Amino acid sequence: MKIKLYFENENAIAKSGIGRAMKHQEEALRLNNIEYTKDSSSKDYDILHINTVWYNSWRQARKAKRLKKKIVFHAHSTEEDFKNSFMFSNLLAPLYKKWLIHMYNFGDVIVTPTPYSKRVLESYHIQREIYPISNGINLNNFKKDAAKEKVFREYFQLAPQQKVIICVGWFFERKGFDTFCEVAEQLPEYTFIWFGDKLMSAPTNNIRKLMMNPPKNVILPGYISGDVIKGAYSNADVFFFPSREETEGIVVLEALASETNVLVRDIPVFDGWLVDKENCYMGKNNEQFITLIRQIINKEVPELKEAGYEVARKRSLQYIGEDLRKVYESVLKR
């Protein structure tokens, strides 16, 4: 069994969630001794595992059909998480949905990150079997490390007692950057840092204005990798993720793996794997977010780091590779 992994425009998506998913898939297959290639011109494979939905992805899918190869289509995107993202995304969303349905129907089966995204796809009436499999997490990459935490605090010149709230993501309304800034404005005693690529986000006017003039206690360092971001994850007092729509949220898994206090917006994608007051905290509005951040920092509520880490552990890449193997084997029997 040999898998052809396909991600269109790898360099362009490297800083995104799909870019992380790409690395995770490779590692998951390696850990399970599943042979794979990323050579887009290769015909020596049994299953095309395709992860993107642009023109060259369409060409790859059509070519695989002509060669009578099996196709696993990985549904990272939905109309719902396309909306409220970049400029004109809402206008384009209905057309994007039609295109997604067309693309996903190339698959013999579909893989998607969560039971929630499976339900969304089922509402599109796509006549394919859909498997919910997490994008997974490399636990070793996010082990707590005092040296990396020191690098993070020195990079931002943070005082020893300075409390820090972080988030990681694109500058989208969907991601809740506006909420992040509104909450920060009400908590001037804390430092808020949003990590994310500014140039690639193509923000709406509202988000662009906030980026140009954020609250004084909000830092926007852009996209940062390596020890700084890893130290930020594990050293932050709160990972605050106010996203309004996701298919999973890999950065949440990264925060859980870093043994960080996690606060998310209470949205359907977390149903079934994140539980309020058990392995994370959830809020519905700014007032609740503000109260919960204060309570977490002041230790007025229980720490849930250990339970949160267990969520990440169950989604380690070894397990994800085992799940993918089962899907591949079932497809080859069809």
Side-chain angles (χ1 to χ4, degrees), residues 157-257:
Q157 300 180 335
L158 298 167
Q161 301 306 314
Q162 183 62 46
K163 303 301 182 184
V164 181
I165 295 90
I166 72 163
C167 189
V168 180
W170 298 104
F171 289 89
F172 292 162
E173 289 184 35
R174 174 175 66 81
K175 291 288 186 183
F177 178 66
D178 52 336
T179 298
F180 190 82
C181 290
E182 289 161 5
V183 169
E185 201 161 25
Q186 297 302 310
L187 295 169
E189 66 271 32
Y190 305 140
T191 297
F192 287 70
I193 306 175
W194 183 290
F195 295 90
D197 194 297
K198 298 177 183 179
L199 297 177
M200 296 290 289
S201 292
T204 60
N205 287 331
N206 179 46
I207 296 299
R208 185 181 293 109
K209 288 176 183 176
L210 283 172
M211 291 171 66
M212 293 175 63
N213 187 30
K216 293 180 180 179
N217 59 329
V218 172
I219 301 172
L220 308 178
Y223 177 83
I224 294 180
S225 60
D227 289 354
V228 173
I229 188 64
K230 291 175 182 177
Y233 268 122
S234 62
N235 188 255
D237 295 278
V238 182
F239 180 83
F240 173 36
F241 191 65
S243 178
R244 297 178 170 96
E245 180 69 32
E246 296 289 327
T247 53
E248 181 173 42
I250 288 180
V251 295
V252 175
L253 285 176
E254 291 173 349
L256 294 168

Side-chain angles (χ1 to χ4, degrees), residues 46 81 104 116 124 168 177 249 256 269 279 295 297 304 325:
D46 301 295
D81 82 344
Y104 292 159
Y116 166 72
Y124 295 177
V168 180
F177 178 66
L256 294 168
V269 71
N279 49 38
Q295 288 177 334
I297 289 177
L304 304 176
R325 179 190 290 278

Side-chain angles (χ1 to χ4, degrees), residues 49-307:
H49 186 158
I50 190 165
N51 287 266
T52 42
V53 296
W54 305 305
Y55 177 70
N56 285 332
S57 303
W58 174 78
R59 291 181 63 195
Q60 283 287 332
R62 283 180 56 87
K63 184 177 179 180
K65 284 288 186 185
R66 288 197 301 271
L67 294 171
K68 300 189 184 305
K69 304 289 189 179
K70 299 295 186 180
I71 300 176
V72 172
F73 220 117
H74 212 119
H76 296 285
S77 301
T78 64
E79 179 192 24
E80 286 73 7
D81 82 344
F82 185 81
K83 290 179 179 177
N84 299 311
S85 296
F86 54 87
M87 192 76 73
F88 306 121
S89 61
N90 288 6
L91 183 65
L92 296 170
L95 291 174
Y96 185 65
K97 178 181 178 179
K98 290 181 180 180
W99 177 250
L100 288 178
I101 293 170
H102 172 69
M103 290 294 286
Y104 292 159
N105 273 320
F106 275 108
D108 292 283
V109 299
I110 296 171
V111 172
T112 196
T114 56
Y116 166 72
S117 55
K118 177 183 177 181
R119 293 195 299 273
V120 170
L121 293 172
E122 287 172 339
S123 74
Y124 295 177
H125 306 295
I126 298 172
Q127 301 303 308
R128 298 291 184 273
E129 191 167 1
I130 303 173
Y131 295 87
I133 299 176
S134 170
N135 286 309
I137 184 70
N138 187 327
L139 296 175
N140 291 331
N141 278 350
F142 294 93
K143 283 183 178 179
K144 287 183 71 67
D145 186 321
K148 292 176 182 176
E149 293 182 359
K150 183 180 179 183
V151 169
F152 158 64
R153 296 196 75 87
E154 288 180 348
Y155 185 91
F156 289 102
Q157 300 180 335
L158 298 167
Q161 301 306 314
Q162 183 62 46
K163 303 301 182 184
V164 181
I165 295 90
I166 72 163
C167 189
V168 180
W170 298 104
F171 289 89
F172 292 162
E173 289 184 35
R174 174 175 66 81
K175 291 288 186 183
F177 178 66
D178 52 336
T179 298
F180 190 82
C181 290
E182 289 161 5
V183 169
E185 201 161 25
Q186 297 302 310
L187 295 169
E189 66 271 32
Y190 305 140
T191 297
F192 287 70
I193 306 175
W194 183 290
F195 295 90
D197 194 297
K198 298 177 183 179
L199 297 177
M200 296 290 289
S201 292
T204 60
N205 287 331
N206 179 46
I207 296 299
R208 185 181 293 109
K209 288 176 183 176
L210 283 172
M211 291 171 66
M212 293 175 63
N213 187 30
K216 293 180 180 179
N217 59 329
V218 172
I219 301 172
L220 308 178
Y223 177 83
I224 294 180
S225 60
D227 289 354
V228 173
I229 188 64
K230 291 175 182 177
Y233 268 122
S234 62
N235 188 255
D237 295 278
V238 182
F239 180 83
F240 173 36
F241 191 65
S243 178
R244 297 178 170 96
E245 180 69 32
E246 296 289 327
T247 53
E248 181 173 42
I250 288 180
V251 295
V252 175
L253 285 176
E254 291 173 349
L256 294 168
S258 302
E259 300 180 60
T260 306
N261 294 304
V262 171
L263 170 61
V264 300
R265 193 187 297 273
D266 188 358
I267 55 177
V269 71
F270 300 128
D271 291 351
W273 60 288
L274 290 185
V275 182
D276 185 29
K277 299 181 180 64
E278 288 189 19
N279 49 38
C280 72
Y281 286 99
M282 294 183 175
K284 296 180 183 295
N285 54 47
N286 288 10
E287 183 179 358
Q288 291 181 6
F289 294 142
I290 291 164
T291 298
L292 284 165
I293 288 171
R294 283 188 172 134
Q295 288 177 334
I296 293 168
I297 289 177
N298 294 327
K299 302 188 184 303
E300 296 169 358
V301 291
E303 277 201 341
L304 304 176
K305 296 178 181 180
E306 193 171 316

Side-chain angles (χ1 to χ4, degrees), residues 1-7 10 21-40 42-51 317 321 324-325 328:
M1 179 172 67
K2 186 173 183 179
I3 313 303
K4 179 176 175 179
L5 293 180
Y6 186 73
F7 291 83
E10 282 190 34
M22 172 178 68
K23 299 298 183 186
H24 291 179
Q25 279 179 24
E26 289 185 64
E27 182 64 15
L29 267 55
R30 279 197 295 268
L31 288 170
N32 284 270
N33 298 312
I34 300 171
E35 187 179 2
Y36 74 92
T37 180
K38 290 173 63 183
D39 180 357
S40 62
S42 175
K43 296 180 182 179
D44 177 26
Y45 65 94
D46 301 295
I47 299 171
L48 172 65
H49 186 158
I50 190 165
N51 287 266
L317 295 180
L324 289 174
R325 179 190 290 278
Y328 296 150

